[in-house]
Amino acid sequence: MDQVFEEEQQHLSEVYRKLEGIASELEGKIAKTEAEAAKQLSDMREERTLDFTDYENVMETAAELQSRNAEIDSYNRANQVNVEKYHRAQLLMRQPYFAKVRLRLRSGAPARDIYLGSAGMTDETSRHFIVDWRSPVAEVYYNQESGETSYEANGRTIHVNLEQRRQFDIDRDKLNAYFDTTVAIEDPLLLAALSHQHSEKMQAITATIQKEQNEVVRHDDVPALLVRGIAGSGKTSVLLQRIAFLFYRERENLRPDQVYLLTPNPVFGSYIDEVLPNMGESNPRLFTWRDFLDAMGLADHGLGTDTTADELRTIDATVPGFRLRPEHFNEIRENGELLVKASQVRTAVEKFGHLPLGSHLVALVTDELHDRLNARLGQLAGDEKTKAAVLDLGPIEQQRIFGETLNPQSDEELADLAKRYVRYRFGAAHDQIEDARWLNVDRIGREILGTPHLSSTAYLYTKIAATGITRRDARYVMIDEVQDYTGAQLMVLARYFNKAHFLLLGDPNQAIKEGTASFDEIRAIFAEVRGSVDECTLMTSYRSSPEITDLFTRLMDSREAMNVSSVQHAGTPAGIHTYADAADYLAALKEAVAEAAAEPGLCAIIAADRSRTKWLAKQLGDAATYIHGQMSLPAEGVVVLDLPTAKGLEFDHVIIPDAQEQAYPDTPLAKRRLYTALSRATHKVTVLAQGELTSLLQ
């Protein structure tokens, strides 16, 4: 009998019963609070005889309403606290904890056991019997330094002795195994997790974060953090753990809608969308570059990838001295009504003609135009046609606009309704003014750059430079696959999210498009805008077997490749096959697909481009699912997709169906594209060439 196992199972059973008790108690409290709040609302409705006959009664009625509203607010606050704790208890009941550290805080004092879970939980004495993995003390687990070590808490360095670092394999209240470990390469939980088959959804790596990954997750909050990691080093997982860590550390003042995550494609967004919810956190705002442009109203301006960073620097240099002329002003219309004339905009700008074009001038003109718009709306509200339009509204329109049916009893009531009607119909014009739509940004940008058409990237940068309009509420912006963006695109993001801190993750070896920014350019852009850039590297492959890792690292710079390692167990050597005859090639491909379909897990046929993908999908028919657009990945089977869509994803088995010299010639770009395709595989790679095999693999 393993005495330690029995003791740990007993402890787990006690913790689980405690969680069950907490969840049950909270369920009762939540139900009771909701019932009391419902009764309070019902009582308020029944007692809705409000007395406004004189000043004293008005004051008493107002006080009564304020008191009742305060009670309801109190119910809501109490209920929110209970609901949050209940959800944490439910989350922990799947796996109460995943590790334990035994710490001795000072010599001669008894050691303390601390159990780490995906969330924290306190008992009736407010003692943490499960400690959140993001708490300061948990750092000693991830740093993996036995003996004398330390952690930072509240600005202080706490010195401790780490006597034991124990990991657990737990399913609800059942202990499957435990391990005492010291260093990452011997991490049994990590190796067990890596041995599992691929899932169509990315999983959290909370229990298996390694030391180099932990340095990124818990890095100091800096204006810009650039993470360079090889394929399969866990960059995206680390990014999501970093977001969870920030939510924990700034729980009181950081909302999910203040965190923006820029993903490479819609499929990737679907792939990661369950990671944070499974850690008890909400997802941030997920968007692609195309989504970003659509939100800016630039869907018809293209992606702007041809615009250069030097062109944007020209805009920066030219805007302060740019002289505005009448053709640079737009009128403001709403619902077909002319509300502010272009000539009025010009007059407002001329009032501040001593100021250069920029945020200060635009702010003053904006205030001036708001005043002019208010005057115009007041004029419209007083118009007899407007009052007649209000009286002509049917009951359904009255409810939609005013929230009630109308029966004005006096001219004053009708005048008030006319003002509300005008605000409803034309009030959005204030948003146009605030967004500086009175300024012809497109024309200004075209004149500065001397071009007949302005790209989306150039348009946005011109608008930012000319108006100072940015997204000031964003606290953090995370850019995954940062090597896929041009310098100009990154300059736009850095300026638009001008108050945010950036986390930039990527792999220069996976830059699969021409004209994207090098890591030196990325570093320079954010150093210029943010003042400094901190850097971390991730050189360990957790995704791919040693055989697959060796294959794709052959495509890296030899000096960099020397620092790469894989923690996976030895697997299957890559199968590389060439076929001179087209019929033989197609038969071999179909055979490889049939074999993959019979194996567990998900296999991806990754083609070099979209046209090749479509051809393959047609040839394979029902044998493979063609992934495109915003489709999600299946849990198993065979899919066919192009390389850009495969970016950031992983598969148990990858088939490279076009490894001929024509598709992957010996060029830096082709080398990076082949590296990216091969490194999507975890366990198996099959390489097929129709004709001469690419020299990159010879």
Side-chain angles (χ1 to χ4, degrees), residues 592-610:
V593 170
E595 290 177 359
E599 297 170 350
L602 183 62
C603 173
I605 305 166
I606 302 177
D609 55 53
R610 183 163 295 178

Side-chain angles (χ1 to χ4, degrees), residues 483-484 508-516 555 608 643 647 663-677 694 696:
Q483 77 283 342
D484 284 350
N509 298 295
Q510 294 187 64
I512 64 172
K513 303 173 187 174
E514 290 282 15
T516 55
L555 303 169
L643 183 56
K647 281 293 296 290
Y664 292 102
D666 189 2
T667 65
L669 178 62
K671 186 179 289 188
R672 296 193 298 268
R673 290 171 62 81
L674 187 55
Y675 167 103
T676 303
T694 171
L696 297 174

Side-chain angles (χ1 to χ4, degrees), residues 299-320:
D300 58 348
H301 277 64
L303 295 179
T305 53
D306 294 335
T307 301
T308 67
D310 284 341
E311 287 177 302
L312 302 196
R313 293 187 182 99
T314 298
I315 293 170
D316 267 332
T318 308
V319 161

Side-chain angles (χ1 to χ4, degrees), residues 493-524:
L493 293 169
R495 286 285 297 273
Y496 183 71
F497 297 103
N498 65 328
K499 297 297 183 183
H501 284 188
F502 280 80
L503 177 60
L504 314 162
L505 301 97
D507 178 1
N509 298 295
Q510 294 187 64
I512 64 172
K513 303 173 187 174
E514 290 282 15
T516 55
S518 69
F519 263 53
D520 286 341
E521 291 176 286
I522 295 167
R523 188 182 301 108

Side-chain angles (χ1 to χ4, degrees), residues 528-666:
E528 180 181 353
V529 177
R530 290 293 180 267
S532 64
V533 178
D534 283 25
E535 295 187 59
C536 292
T537 57
L538 300 171
M539 301 302 291
T540 304
S541 172
Y542 301 100
R543 173 194 297 149
S544 303
S545 68
E547 292 82 1
I548 296 171
T549 302
D550 289 344
L551 187 61
F552 69 71
T553 53
R554 283 161 51 185
L555 303 169
M556 296 171 58
D557 177 84
S558 58
R559 292 166 297 179
E560 185 183 23
M562 290 174 59
N563 298 315
V564 175
S565 62
S566 170
V567 301
Q568 287 271 16
H569 292 299
T572 305
I576 301 177
H577 311 281
T578 60
Y579 301 90
D581 184 78
D584 291 343
Y585 160 79
L586 192 55
L589 173 62
K590 291 181 177 180
E591 183 180 351
V593 170
E595 290 177 359
E599 297 170 350
L602 183 62
C603 173
I605 305 166
I606 302 177
D609 55 53
R610 183 163 295 178
S611 62
R612 180 72 173 174
T613 307
K614 291 180 178 178
W615 182 85
L616 287 165
K618 184 177 180 180
Q619 299 303 313
L620 295 171
D622 294 338
T625 302
Y626 176 30
I627 300 294
H628 57 93
Q630 300 192 27
M631 292 175 62
S632 298
L633 293 173
E636 57 184 15
V638 181
V639 297
V640 57
L641 67 173
D642 61 17
L643 183 56
T645 305
K647 281 293 296 290
L649 306 178
E650 64 177 52
F651 308 91
D652 298 291
H653 181 184
V654 164
I655 297 174
I656 308 295
D658 42 17
Q660 52 267 21
E661 184 71 19
Q662 183 181 3
Y664 292 102
D666 189 2

Side-chain angles (χ1 to χ4, degrees), residues 331-343:
E331 61 188 22
I332 297 293
R333 286 180 176 270
E334 184 68 29
N335 278 330
E337 185 76 30
L338 176 61
L339 300 172
V340 179
K341 298 177 182 177
S343 60

Side-chain angles (χ1 to χ4, degrees), residues 48 77 91 145 185 264 270 287 324 351 405 427 495 517 574 645-646:
R48 205 176 174 183
R77 285 192 298 271
L91 174 67
E145 297 173 354
I185 201 65
S270 172
F287 64 108
L324 293 172
K351 181 177 179 180
T405 53
R495 286 285 297 273
T645 305

